[in-house]
Amino acid sequence: ELKVEQNPLFLSMQEGKNYTIYCNYSTTSDRLYWYRQDPGKSLESLFVLLSNGAVKQEGRLMASLDTKARLSTLHITAAVHDLSATYFCAVDPAYSGAGSYQLTFGKGTKLSVIP
Amino acid sequence: DTGVSQDPRHKITKRGQNVTFRCDPISEHNRLYWYRQTLGQGPEFLTYFQNEAQLEKSRLLSDRFSAERPKGSFSTLEIQRTEQGDSAMYLCASSNRGPLEAFFGQGTRLTVV
């Protein structure tokens, strides 16, 4: 069974600081996704990482994927209050040879950026 | 609006009642997914359709749950004899290329009292 673990689960940080969220997963996969969810809202796609070594950046967020270590990171640079949300990583096992179509999500990291 | 649409947005039902949710995917998307999300957890996969064919079901999808996608367009998710443990947000997503670039709807929040 594919397991996806995120840490930390809760993160409180001051505006202007940097921090990294980690996503470890238990099976081989070349595809990993990051989503953002605001309270009571649905999921917004942030990044799609398609291969080992992939790095994508959008504004103050940068995501990377190391398939050999089975690790993805979401780095936040100079945090601002608007980044407060829950961030999920999700692994696509279809590319592990498992033949499944489902995404497996981590439990999420609830980020609070304090002014 | 060309996004994934779900109806209703909120549903409160008494235990033991049946409920049905609807999902209208983005019109050109042939792949449709249902997920369930409980408070403080990530979404959990329920089922997947490619066109009208239901190709995968999670073990979470007990006999009380059934999903359909007639004609490969909209989909419905029915829960029979609801239980308090069914209280959750039910999310629908659609895409053209598997989970890649799947777009999620706003969800239906179910509360079973």
Side-chain angles (χ1 to χ4, degrees):
Chain A
E1 180 187 345
L2 172 58
K3 293 188 188 304
V4 180
E5 292 185 353
Q6 283 183 241
N7 69 82
L9 297 183
F10 298 93
L11 176 57
S12 180
M13 57 190 298
Q14 286 187 313
E15 280 191 330
K17 298 291 187 183
N18 304 335
Y19 208 85
T20 300
I21 298 170
Y22 297 89
C23 174
N24 290 89
Y25 55 96
S26 63
T27 193
T28 304
S29 176
D30 287 341
R31 297 196 174 205
L32 189 136
Y33 310 81
W34 284 96
Y35 291 89
R36 168 181 172 146
Q37 187 175 40
D38 292 294
K41 306 290 186 181
S42 190
L43 296 163
E44 174 192 352
S45 178
L46 293 175
F47 299 108
V48 177
L49 302 169
L50 299 180
S51 61
N52 186 40
V55 177
K56 290 201 172 177
Q57 183 163 5
E58 180 74 32
R60 300 173 189 274
L61 300 178
M62 182 173 71
S64 67
L65 178 62
D66 181 344
T67 58
K68 292 178 181 172
R70 300 179 187 174
L71 171 68
S72 180
T73 60
L74 181 66
H75 186 72
I76 303 155
T77 302
V80 293
H81 181 68
D82 285 351
L83 290 179
S84 297
T86 299
Y87 294 84
F88 292 95
C89 64
V91 176
D92 179 355
Y95 296 87
S96 67
S100 169
Y101 297 95
Q102 59 181 282
L103 289 180
T104 300
F105 284 80
K107 290 190 174 183
T109 296
K110 185 171 182 180
L111 172 66
S112 298
V113 181
I114 304 165
Chain B
D1 185 350
T2 56
V4 178
S5 177
Q6 291 188 245
D7 184 70
R9 295 288 306 278
H10 302 274
K11 177 73 176 178
I12 299 174
T13 191
K14 291 184 178 178
R15 190 172 49 190
Q17 297 292 305
N18 300 342
V19 294
T20 299
F21 310 141
R22 177 178 170 126
C23 171
D24 286 274
I26 294 170
S27 60
E28 63 268 26
H29 285 181
N30 61 350
R31 300 171 190 241
L32 186 146
Y33 308 82
W34 284 99
Y35 285 82
R36 180 175 72 183
Q37 185 178 24
T38 53
L39 201 60
Q41 301 294 318
E44 297 171 297
F45 171 82
L46 292 178
T47 192
Y48 162 69
F49 289 88
Q50 186 163 323
N51 299 309
E52 67 274 11
Q54 189 175 22
L55 295 186
E56 188 172 0
K57 291 195 294 185
S58 164
R59 287 171 294 178
L60 293 175
L61 214 65
S62 75
D63 291 346
R64 297 185 298 106
F65 287 70
S66 62
E68 293 183 341
R69 193 183 182 197
K71 303 179 184 177
S73 56
F74 71 92
S75 176
T76 58
L77 177 68
E78 181 183 15
I79 310 173
Q80 296 183 326
R81 305 181 303 282
T82 52
E83 301 172 357
Q84 285 192 317
D86 298 330
S87 296
M89 175 81 89
Y90 289 83
L91 295 166
C92 175
S94 73
S95 80
N96 256 344
R97 296 192 289 167
L100 182 67
E101 297 178 355
F103 293 89
F104 282 80
Q106 297 281 57
T108 293
R109 182 167 294 283
L110 173 66
T111 303
V112 181
V113 297

